[in-house]
Amino acid sequence: MSTRPAPRPTATPVFGSSEVPASRATEDRIDIPQFLPSPSPEGEIGPDRFLDRELSWLAFNARVLELAEDPDLFLLERVNFLSIFASNLDEFFMVRVAGLKRRIATGLAVPSASGLSPHEVLDQISVAAHELQERHCRAFADHIRPALEDAGIRLVSWHDLGEAEHERLSALFAEQVFPILTPLAVDPAHPFPYISGLSLNLAVVVRNPVSDKDLFARLKVPDQLPRLISVDGPRAGNVAGRLARFIPLEDLIAVHLDQLFPGMEVVEHHTFRVTRNEDLEVEEDDAENLLQALEKELLRRRFGPPVRLEVTTDINPNIRALLVRELGVEEAEVYSLPAPLDLRGLSVIGGIDRNELHYPKQLAHTSRFLNESETAKAANVFAAMRRRDILLHHPYDSFSTSVQAFLEQAAADPKVQAIKQTLYRTSGDSPIVDALIDAAEAGKQVLALVEIKARFDEQANISWARKLEQAGVHVVYGIVGLKTHCKLSLVVRQENDGLRRYCHIGTGNYHPRTARYYEDLGLLTCDEQVGEDLSKLFNQLSGYAPKSTFKRLLVAPRSVRSGLIDRIETEIRNARAGLRSRVIIKVNSMVDEAIIDSLYRASQAGVKVDIVVRGICSLRPGVPGLSENITVRSVLGRFLEHSRVFAFANGGNPVVYIGSADMMHRNLDRRVEALVQLRNREDINDLISLLDRYLDDGTASWHLDDTGTWTRHHLDEDGRPLQDVQSWLLASRARQRTAALR
């Protein structure tokens, strides 16, 4: 992929004008039905000023699908985007659609901030989701599957294979598949079985040759086996030019159904899939032991009500009617799609090691403030932190030689007295967990604040929480009624002049694997105010300190919303006084009505407001008299844009925060979140310059208009690619590394 370098925008520490000429970009529109706003009189905020959050989320997933449809992207990356789209949509149905249905069932069907009732939102979701799923299937069948075949990667059926392949696959079926299959009959003695959420199933019709009667059975496709079975061996396709063939597991099972129903005639079979409500509800006030309560709720999750039924287009209408009746779904909740269902399984193909079909390999470099030699090995992190604050930008800056090295060195350092750590998502084999265990076993005071309610990671979090407890780590689960989402590390070290506190505050999880493809920021500092703030916050999380006040932190649920609104109001006063004023916000989601209304007021006062949002945005930009000074951009690509940044011109003395909070009710009201104010002027200038690059019209991005329509801008007026900001950052870090080694 080649990109045309875009001119670097001029950014100054006083938020000087960095306007760039608008380019006529190629427009690819994503239309999700929305209510249009009424023009608002000057100084007035209209009642229809919010886009619907659920429909905005579908528009986000449509942007992911656009990447899969882009013929200029590397083929196996397009395959991965297809898989990501499918996984995202599953979660949307399990949580958001299920939540709407629950509100309707419980009588809480009040209109959302967009003015739509839950019934209206469900109707619009149904229209948009049906269209998106069909478009998703077409992208695979009409474009990506043929392109894969041209590259020697084929998804085959049993009838495409020869006798030798049949023998090998039949042996594999007999050894690894057949023993774990369980056919379930449906007859007067066997009621319709429970169909677990997201399981792929075969609906099988068999005939008794004696009675000549057709009978129904359900067979679950085992989810502990690979969804796509390699016909040519496990390493097939990993070398350029080598053929790689895969057969779906359900197809392999289907051709051997006679072995599961001996003495019966297999008449027909069809694949189907059910999505259920899998959001958790734990009443913490009534739970004496949150761990045990959550484990019980995880068992209940498998039995949530269905919210979607996917069937193949060739299904027998009688079988379809049986499934609809027995599962209790509405016709609007049935999605008829071409086989294969559940394209999450394409991740197997997306993982094939064909360098020419993937993004070029990238190597994360050690931060220049931590790298004192020509090796990639991190220097003494404590010494580096004493010299200056260190702003990290992952995955461009190595996680392993910065945050991981910080905690590993703390665990091994005999001068370290205590380590306090929040963990929202990580892995049981994480070096972060290992470092905490090593520190505890070395006799250090170690506190781990584990958020075991992190959605869909609950079971894993319970497992490694117990692992920490067994090693002697003090494990706590935070404050009742609040999820602990802040990303904090505090290390207390004995030094010649007394105890010193070393801190890390980040925007992303302490997860070494996701740190390689999540874009996040983090601050390493031994600033006394930050250390004091973190000590207070950890005391609040593990003990009783409800009236703690902070100096450099904004902490939800008490002060993130109010603190940011205060900053926005300052920009409004500065604009009216003729001082420099501007707001730039980069988040994953922009939903909170109070924050949005404050940004509308800023726009009406003449403040330039720029928002970079990865996912949901309920704000309407560009509405005359309301938000004509607001732009909204979205950047998607190789790395998942995950950092949260809040920048304010502040009359020429810019203020910048980074942290864990998105602008959503759950983050600002029901989670413990932390934002930290940056103090190093070089870091502030660099971050503002980076945000301006995200917003540059020469940078590839999606633009949101006042109707809720996202338009992709990725080609200039001559049809050449606009600058990909992530590729630019990779190249920029590589240049810095080369210059440092000279």
Side-chain angles (χ1 to χ4, degrees), residues 362-368 392-399 401 515-521 635 638-641 690 694 724-734 736:
Q362 65 97 14
L363 177 65
H365 299 299
T366 299
S367 166
R368 59 195 174 105
L392 301 167
H393 195 190
H394 309 298
Y396 314 102
D397 291 324
S398 168
F399 181 86
T401 59
R516 292 196 287 268
Y517 58 89
Y518 276 37
E519 179 272 338
D520 271 304
L521 294 163
V635 172
R638 173 177 188 166
F639 305 125
L640 185 141
E641 292 288 333
L690 176 61
Y694 275 85
D724 176 77
V725 68
Q726 296 180 349
S727 298
W728 176 84
L729 277 164
L730 285 171
S732 175
R733 292 306 170 91
Q736 288 179 8

Side-chain angles (χ1 to χ4, degrees), residues 161-180:
L161 304 175
E163 185 176 346
E165 290 93 344
H166 286 176
E167 290 181 1
R168 185 164 59 250
L169 290 172
S170 292
L172 183 148
F173 173 82
E175 294 171 6
Q176 300 182 28
V177 183
F178 179 82
I180 58 177

